[in-house]
């Protein structure tokens, strides 16, 4: 059994399908999804069809509550059972899809983690105007907050992992210059901040902000997938950081240096895509600038914009 973790899916599970195929997962393996899974979104037959497809995946999905889905306790088809030391919500016909309950503490091998889901929807007004679902239960209620704090008191305010959808203000990546930022309800983030100040934890994992950022003791995940507790990505497919035509510096081979222009962005499933996005770059070896070469499948983690290099040198 292995435990993996990733960010929001919003009803799109290609990254999960790709991961399962390339890593040979089984139902004994668990993928923690940090909210906005989106499979209880429309609450109709389209949700059922999606769950049927996901029930065929060779992995167990452990879902934190986000703000783009209804809480299972408000859906009549869900039951509860004990899993990894804590209660989860599930539907018998989709036995590999489990929903975490806020405040429950789960065991992942020798480590323990508490789940604190929910967040405010910045797109609430748009969804209401467009006739899309919006859920009044999206943020944790006062009852949920008290339950979380009570459970943390029981374990002496010490845990290995925290799994949440949004995050404490301490880690909030949203730029203050975003239009309407001052109108965002940040009460959940403020409450999580008060939790973070009292709690001893090794790592706080969260999603919601659609990015991949590592902090000293926290991590924001989106399309990246990691093994729980590990630093390196097992897979980081999805949004390419760079575009065709951009001029970049890169490493290849045994830390040889090159520079050039991106000519091809390798997409899902192409050569070199078992871990992360890669690029074909038309350019030059820094030590042999007279020979123009097409460098194939350079991994994104080895590529850097010229502008970024200049910023680092200042």
């Amino acid at each position: 059994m292995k435990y993996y973790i990733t960010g929001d899916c919003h009803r799109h599970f290609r990254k999960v399908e790709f991961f399962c195929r390339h890593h040979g997962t089984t139902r004994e393996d668990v993928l923690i999804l940090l909210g906005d899974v989106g499979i209880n979104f429309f609450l109709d037959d389209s949700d059922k069809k999606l769950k049927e497809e996901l029930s065929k995946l060779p992995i167990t999905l452990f879902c934190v509550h986000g703000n783009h889905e209804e809480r299972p306790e408000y859906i009549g088809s869900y039951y509860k059972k004990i899993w990894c030391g804590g209660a989860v919500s599930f539907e018998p016909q989709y036995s590999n899809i489990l929903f975490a309950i806020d405040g429950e503490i789960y065991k992942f091998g020798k480590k323990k983690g508490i789940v604190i889901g929910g967040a405010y929807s910045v797109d609430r007004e748009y969804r209401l105007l467009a006739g899309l679902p919006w859920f009044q239960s999206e943020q944790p209620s006062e009852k949920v907050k008290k339950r979380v704090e009570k459970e943390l008191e029981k374990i002496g305010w010490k845990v290995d992992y925290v799994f949440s959808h949004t995050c404490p203000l301490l880690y909030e990546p949203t730029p203050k210059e975003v239009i309407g930022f001052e109108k965002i309800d940040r009460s959940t983030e403020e409450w999580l901040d008060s939790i973070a100040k009292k709690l001893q934890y090794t790592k706080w994992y969260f999603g919601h902000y659609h990015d991949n950022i590592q902090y000293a003791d926290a991590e924001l995940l989106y399309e990246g997938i990691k093994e729980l507790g590990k630093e390196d990505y097992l897979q980081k497919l999805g949004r390419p950081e760079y575009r065709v035509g951009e001029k970049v510096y890169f490493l290849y081979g045994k830390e040889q240096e090159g520079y050039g222009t991106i000519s091809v962005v390798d997409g899902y499933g192409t050569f070199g895509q078992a871990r992360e996005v890669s690029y074909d770059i038309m350019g030059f070896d820094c030590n042999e600038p007279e020979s123009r070469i097409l460098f194939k499948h350079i991994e994104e983690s080895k590529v850097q914009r010229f502008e970024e290099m200049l910023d680092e040198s200042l």
Side-chain angles (χ1 to χ4, degrees):
M1 178 183 289
K2 289 189 176 181
Y3 303 102
Y4 306 104
I5 189 164
T6 191
D8 307 18
C9 288
H10 291 282
R11 299 177 70 85
H12 299 289
F13 292 88
R14 194 176 178 191
K15 69 175 179 181
V16 179
E17 295 169 359
F18 188 89
F19 182 81
C20 291
R21 186 167 68 249
H22 279 264
H23 291 270
T25 61
T26 72
R27 288 291 182 88
E28 294 298 310
D29 300 314
V30 176
L31 178 60
I32 301 166
L33 302 172
L34 294 166
D36 281 359
V37 182
I39 59 179
N40 287 320
F41 185 67
F42 290 109
L43 305 181
D44 60 12
D45 287 342
S46 67
D47 282 0
K48 293 179 182 178
K49 183 178 179 181
L50 180 56
K51 292 175 189 178
E52 287 172 2
E53 294 173 0
L54 296 177
S55 69
K56 299 173 185 176
L57 288 175
I59 201 163
T60 295
L61 303 177
F62 179 66
C63 310
V64 175
H65 177 70
N67 55 291
H68 283 80
E69 55 211 349
E70 182 58 285
R71 291 178 181 268
E73 55 261 42
Y74 299 113
I75 303 174
S77 56
Y78 278 88
Y79 296 81
K80 289 183 180 179
K81 68 177 181 179
I82 299 300
W83 177 86
C84 287
V88 294
S89 297
F90 76 105
E91 293 170 297
Q93 64 271 43
Y94 314 120
S95 59
N96 68 320
I97 306 174
L98 308 175
F99 286 84
I101 297 174
D102 290 348
E104 288 291 298
I105 295 172
Y106 303 93
K107 296 178 182 178
F108 299 92
K110 296 181 180 180
K111 305 291 185 179
K112 292 183 178 180
I114 188 168
V115 171
I116 313 174
Y120 172 77
S121 292
V122 296
D123 63 346
R124 172 185 171 180
E125 297 304 321
Y126 164 76
R127 284 158 64 186
L128 291 173
L129 287 171
L132 293 171
W134 172 77
F135 306 102
Q136 192 171 359
S137 63
E138 62 180 13
Q139 298 197 77
S141 65
E142 290 303 314
K143 182 179 179 180
V144 168
K145 291 177 180 179
K146 289 178 181 178
R147 183 172 187 274
V148 168
E149 293 175 9
K150 184 178 179 180
E151 293 303 314
L152 288 174
E153 286 176 5
K154 288 181 181 179
I155 59 172
W157 289 87
K158 186 176 182 179
V159 72
D160 296 295
Y161 303 124
V162 180
F163 306 109
S164 63
H165 184 51
T166 188
C167 65
L169 296 176
L170 173 66
Y171 308 119
E172 189 179 49
T174 305
K176 305 299 184 289
E177 62 270 16
V178 170
I179 296 174
F181 179 82
E182 70 284 351
K183 297 180 181 179
I184 295 175
D185 180 353
R186 299 162 76 209
S187 58
T188 297
E189 288 78 10
E190 291 168 356
W191 172 65
L192 291 175
D193 210 47
S194 69
I195 295 290
K197 290 174 181 176
K198 295 176 63 177
L199 183 62
Q200 294 182 54
Y201 55 91
T202 302
K203 198 85 165 185
W204 191 307
Y205 291 99
F206 62 100
H208 189 49
Y209 295 97
H210 293 197
D211 207 343
N212 302 281
I213 301 175
Q214 294 187 48
Y215 305 80
D217 55 0
E219 183 143 12
L220 163 58
L221 285 169
Y222 184 33
E223 77 276 7
I225 300 178
K226 293 190 168 188
E227 187 171 351
L228 183 62
K230 300 296 179 65
E231 293 299 320
D232 293 336
Y233 289 101
L234 292 174
Q235 175 177 295
K236 194 184 175 192
L237 307 174
R239 302 166 303 142
E241 177 74 18
Y242 307 101
R243 299 291 183 267
V244 171
E246 284 196 78
K247 297 185 183 302
V248 296
Y249 160 84
F250 58 93
L251 299 175
Y252 74 98
K254 294 183 178 180
E255 301 305 305
Q256 293 169 276
E257 298 174 289
Y259 64 93
T261 303
I262 291 177
S263 57
V264 175
V265 179
D266 297 324
Y268 271 109
T270 57
F271 182 84
Q273 289 300 289
R275 288 176 61 88
E276 59 181 313
V277 170
S278 62
Y279 304 89
D280 292 354
I281 303 171
M282 182 62 74
F284 305 87
D285 184 312
C286 288
N287 293 320
E288 299 180 17
E290 67 280 357
S291 301
R292 198 161 182 253
I293 306 169
L294 179 62
F295 297 87
K296 301 281 287 184
H297 313 304
I298 305 298
E299 294 180 344
E300 186 172 273
S301 58
K302 296 183 178 180
V303 177
Q304 193 172 24
R305 290 187 183 90
F306 283 141
E307 294 87 345
E308 293 171 341
M309 293 177 63
L310 290 172
D311 289 342
E312 288 180 1
S313 65
L314 295 176

